[in-house]
Amino acid sequence: MSPILQGILTIIIGVGGCVGYFFLSNLILDRFIFPPRSNDQGRNIARATAVRPWLFLLPAMLALGLYLVYPVIGSFIRSLYNRSGNTFIGLDNYIQMFGEHGFRVALFNNFLWILFVPAAATFFGLLVAQLTDRLNWGSIAKSLIFMPMAISFVGASLIWKFVYANDPDIGIINAIRDYFGAQPIDPMQIPFWNNFFIMLIMVWMQTGFAMVILSAALRGIPDETVEAAIIDGANPFQLFFRIKVPQIAGTIVVVWTTITFLTLKIFDIVYTMTGGNFDTEILPSYMMDYMFRDDGRATAVAFVIMLIVTPVMIYNIRQAKREV
């Protein structure tokens, strides 16, 4: 059977199964479990109304349990076994992991990413959103700044490999150094700072996302508020920092946490630029080092990443609900 036909059949069976489930479950609920013709008709209708939402939620809950909860529990259990999976070793994988220098470097670098990337991307996105609204060609500028969002992480990394190239005829940094008579350097091998050179790629890509969301938030500020501030004598800086920013603070937090959530899962950029060498390792790349040779250690790292990501995700969901 051809892949196209398989895909069509999968869609038909999936959609048909969902429609059939909803139809039959509601039919059974209304006709047999809580029949409206019984002596307690009003109470049965109320009971059916209370149960009906759970019928719609059940397929999603089963899917989440199968594809989310079960893998999390299974991964944690697997992390308690040795590399071959046949000997229970308890928390030894976690103890050995936290005792390794490589893990501590990866954890420290992850915190660097969390501190720098969301702050820089949100700041530049807010700055661009404010400035481009004042330009006649602001829409063109926004399109150019948003364009990196359409590039994959690997594609963006390959572009910046040319920016950081050792050859002065290719790399921008070494071209500037060569102009002033300095020797070429490899930015990817400069201790500590090489992490920030890699982070710039992520900032470059996420600034467009922050700009779009924050630009919409700025446009949503009532004109009366801005006009009243101008009449009261507020200068442009006071207008921006004391009037506009406080009114979009919730949106800024949502953008910040969304980029933080994405940053915690980043892998492609580091793997493409350095492969985790030169002390640029982060937790996902550290996990990849053990992926095909020690499943117990790899799943332990994955569980640690999940524990770090979960609070940010919960906070982001709560902030998004407040915005609604």
Side-chain angles (χ1 to χ4, degrees), residues 28-319:
I28 294 172
L29 182 71
D30 293 331
R31 295 286 180 87
F32 300 102
I33 300 178
F34 300 117
R37 295 180 180 178
S38 65
N39 297 330
D40 224 353
Q41 180 176 354
R43 183 178 296 179
N44 280 354
I45 293 175
R47 288 173 179 174
T49 303
V51 172
R52 203 179 311 278
W54 294 102
L55 294 177
F56 289 92
L57 287 174
L58 182 61
M61 293 172 66
L62 290 175
L64 285 174
L66 180 62
Y67 295 108
L68 183 63
V69 178
Y70 173 72
V72 168
I73 296 174
S75 296
F76 177 70
I77 294 173
R78 181 63 184 87
S79 70
L80 303 178
Y81 286 77
N82 65 348
R83 68 173 61 192
S84 59
N86 54 16
T87 303
F88 181 80
I89 59 175
L91 299 176
D92 283 0
N93 281 322
Y94 294 93
I95 295 171
Q96 294 174 14
M97 180 175 65
F98 279 95
E100 286 188 359
H101 173 72
F103 176 79
R104 293 196 297 270
V105 169
L107 189 62
F108 174 74
N109 288 340
N110 256 104
F111 282 115
L112 281 181
W113 277 75
I114 294 171
L115 291 173
F116 179 75
V117 173
T122 305
F123 171 77
F124 286 120
L126 180 60
L127 185 65
V128 171
Q130 173 65 17
L131 295 179
T132 51
D133 283 340
R134 295 173 172 269
L135 301 174
N136 294 329
W137 47 278
S139 298
I140 299 175
K142 288 181 179 179
S143 299
L144 294 174
I145 294 169
F146 185 77
M147 198 173 294
M149 280 286 294
I151 306 174
S152 68
F153 288 139
V154 175
S157 301
L158 293 175
I159 292 172
W160 281 79
K161 267 184 173 290
F162 288 104
V163 176
Y164 296 146
N166 292 340
D167 189 346
D169 294 329
I170 301 176
I172 295 176
I173 293 177
N174 283 308
I176 297 173
R177 290 178 59 85
D178 183 68
Y179 178 80
F180 290 102
Q183 293 296 319
I185 60 170
D186 186 356
M188 294 296 99
Q189 297 188 33
I190 303 175
F192 182 72
W193 297 106
N194 49 7
N195 288 289
F196 290 93
F197 286 122
I198 300 174
M199 292 178 206
L200 284 176
I201 303 173
M202 187 70 168
V203 173
W204 177 64
M205 297 184 69
Q206 294 303 311
T207 296
F209 163 76
M211 174 201 67
V212 170
I213 304 300
L214 295 174
S215 178
L218 287 171
R219 290 178 179 273
I221 296 175
D223 293 334
E224 294 81 1
T225 305
V226 177
E227 292 171 358
I230 294 174
I231 293 173
D232 289 340
N235 59 44
F237 287 98
Q238 293 174 327
L239 182 64
F240 179 71
F241 288 106
R242 295 188 179 183
I243 304 299
K244 293 185 176 182
V245 170
Q247 294 196 57
I248 63 170
T251 305
I252 292 175
V253 171
V254 170
V255 170
W256 188 301
T257 52
T258 301
I259 298 176
T260 300
F261 181 63
L262 184 62
T263 301
L264 285 168
K265 302 188 298 179
I266 198 65
F267 166 75
D268 317 58
I269 295 175
V270 174
Y271 193 77
T272 304
M273 295 299 292
T274 63
N277 297 311
F278 315 117
D279 285 340
T280 60
E281 192 125 63
I282 54 175
L283 290 178
S285 62
Y286 178 82
M287 180 183 68
M288 280 296 296
D289 292 343
Y290 293 94
M291 183 69 73
F292 302 105
R293 57 190 179 93
D294 190 342
D295 287 347
R297 180 69 64 85
T299 51
V301 179
F303 200 76
V304 170
I305 295 173
M306 190 205 71
L307 291 178
I308 297 174
V309 170
T310 301
V312 179
M313 180 182 65
I314 294 173
Y315 181 78
N316 194 18
I317 293 173
R318 289 180 176 177
Q319 284 296 128

